[in-house]
């Protein structure tokens, strides 16, 4: 790896010039965050019911006594054998911050369309402790535009990331935020999809400061080039461009 070499004085001049741009970006990000919080809210009129390891839970009960709820739409449909490395990567960041979120009036939960038994098998294997529930018997995923009907897939016209597009598969990922007021009314305040999830990826914050940066130089030029479920590093396998991991020797049609 070759790079320009400079004196300490020249480095300091270049670093100081870059600092001004960093400060401008910080101010712009603060302003954008304020605009995000100022978005209008939508009242949730429908009653959603989820399956958890402890039984049925309503959307209101997912708040767990707090007024703010962050939901990770986890890309995992019924019977899905090959899981999304991006979703695994994102929720891996949560364990250490859960206690801080919970003590600042925020509950974090993941929701997937897979049945709760399949979710629990993955959760136990990965050692995750955050709430992870199933929307298998609910329209929740469809209403929040992260799961798609056979008709939408056949016509290649689904609403995802705020536009009509070819979703390409039955379940995709995203994040949604909800607020519950003192009267128990629930409001949808924000959602993000695609690269909107990067705000949750603290690893990228470190990599972006490193000499090699994100170093995503494989065939996909994304995290699919290198991220694996954390128990699969060093064990080979491949990742599709859409992010699904295949263990070494799985023998499925993707490798044909």
């Amino acid at each position: 790896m070759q790079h320009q070499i400079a004196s300490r004085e020249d480095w300091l001049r270049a670093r100081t010039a870059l600092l001004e741009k960093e400060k401008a970006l910080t101010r712009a990000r603060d302003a954008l965050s304020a605009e995000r919080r100022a978005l209008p809210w939508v009242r949730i009129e429908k009653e959603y019911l989820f399956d958890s390891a402890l039984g049925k839970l309503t959307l209101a009960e997912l708040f767990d006594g707090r007024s703010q709820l962050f939901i990770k739409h986890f890309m995992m449909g019924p019977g899905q054998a090959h899981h999304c490395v991006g979703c695994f990567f994102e929720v891996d960041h949560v364990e250490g911050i859960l206690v801080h979120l919970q003590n600042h009036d925020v509950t974090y939960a993941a929701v997937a369309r897979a049945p709760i038994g399949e979710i629990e098998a993955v959760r136990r294997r990965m050692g995750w402790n955050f709430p992870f529930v199933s929307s298998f018997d609910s329209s929740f995923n469809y209403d929040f535009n992260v799961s798609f009907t056979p008709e939408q897939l056949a016509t290649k016209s689904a609403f995802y990331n705020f536009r009509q597009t070819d979703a390409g598969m039955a379940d995709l990922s995203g994040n949604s935020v909800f607020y519950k007021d003192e009267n128990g009314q629930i409001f949808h305040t924000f959602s993000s999809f695609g690269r909107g999830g990067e705000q949750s990826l603290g690893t990228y914050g470190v990599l972006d400061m490193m000499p090699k940066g994100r170093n995503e130089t494989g065939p996909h030029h994304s995290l699919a080039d290198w991220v694996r479920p954390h128990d699969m590093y060093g064990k080979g396998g491949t990742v599709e461009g859409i992010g699904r991991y295949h263990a070494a020797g799985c023998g499925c049609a993707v490798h044909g």
Side-chain angles (χ1 to χ4, degrees):
M1 181 177 177
Q2 295 185 347
H3 200 79
Q4 177 185 357
I5 306 300
S7 67
R8 176 62 62 180
E9 291 76 17
D10 287 342
W11 178 87
L12 185 59
R13 280 192 290 272
R15 178 65 188 93
T16 303
L18 180 63
L19 179 61
E20 290 305 309
K21 294 181 180 180
E22 290 176 331
K23 288 181 176 179
L25 179 60
T26 298
R27 289 191 290 269
R29 185 171 58 245
D30 289 345
L32 184 63
S33 295
E35 288 188 49
R36 182 183 299 119
R37 293 190 297 272
L39 283 170
W41 297 352
V42 178
R43 182 182 288 105
I44 301 298
E45 306 286 0
K46 187 180 289 188
E47 183 73 20
Y48 293 106
L49 201 61
F50 304 91
D51 290 313
S52 78
L54 301 177
K56 299 288 186 180
L57 292 174
T58 64
L59 181 61
E61 288 171 327
L62 281 186
F63 281 80
D64 196 23
R66 302 178 184 90
S67 71
Q68 300 171 102
L69 174 65
F70 182 103
I71 283 184
K72 166 62 183 174
H73 298 292
F74 199 101
M75 192 172 117
M76 182 178 171
Q80 187 171 316
H82 305 290
H83 299 302
C84 171
V85 295
C87 289
F88 274 57
F89 184 48
E90 184 174 332
V91 301
D92 269 343
H93 287 77
V94 173
E95 291 294 321
I97 65 171
L98 273 179
V99 64
H100 303 291
L101 293 175
Q102 292 166 353
N103 282 277
H104 205 51
D105 196 30
V106 175
T107 296
Y108 181 101
V111 176
R113 199 167 56 88
I116 190 61
E118 295 176 17
I119 288 173
E120 279 296 290
V122 170
R123 189 184 64 79
R124 287 192 298 267
R125 172 191 140 203
M126 303 307 294
W128 294 329
N129 295 304
F130 54 83
F132 197 164
V133 300
S134 169
S135 62
F136 181 73
D137 291 319
S138 164
S139 65
F140 183 79
N141 275 41
Y142 297 98
D143 292 348
F144 287 91
N145 306 119
V146 288
S147 292
F148 312 101
T149 66
E151 291 75 19
Q152 288 173 316
L153 296 175
T155 60
K156 298 184 178 182
S157 181
F159 191 72
Y160 180 70
N161 204 10
F162 310 108
R163 62 190 177 93
Q164 292 297 132
T165 186
D166 178 5
M169 54 194 306
D171 297 274
L172 292 175
S173 64
N175 300 306
S176 288
V177 177
F178 300 87
Y179 176 76
K180 182 158 65 74
D181 68 15
E182 59 276 6
N183 297 317
Q185 295 183 106
I186 299 173
F187 303 89
H188 174 219
T189 70
F190 182 72
S191 284
S192 64
F193 310 90
R195 289 190 65 175
E198 285 190 17
Q199 190 153 308
S200 304
L201 303 180
T203 300
Y204 271 160
V206 175
L207 292 180
D208 285 345
M209 292 186 286
M210 302 308 295
K212 291 185 177 181
R214 299 187 181 187
N215 201 30
E216 294 170 340
T217 55
H220 309 303
H221 299 287
S222 72
L223 56 76
D225 290 333
W226 64 279
V227 169
R228 302 291 184 268
H230 66 239
D231 62 342
M232 290 296 167
Y233 282 114
K235 297 181 180 179
T238 59
V239 178
E240 298 176 62
I242 57 175
R244 291 186 298 200
Y245 173 73
H246 296 252
C250 80
C252 74
V254 168
H255 308 287

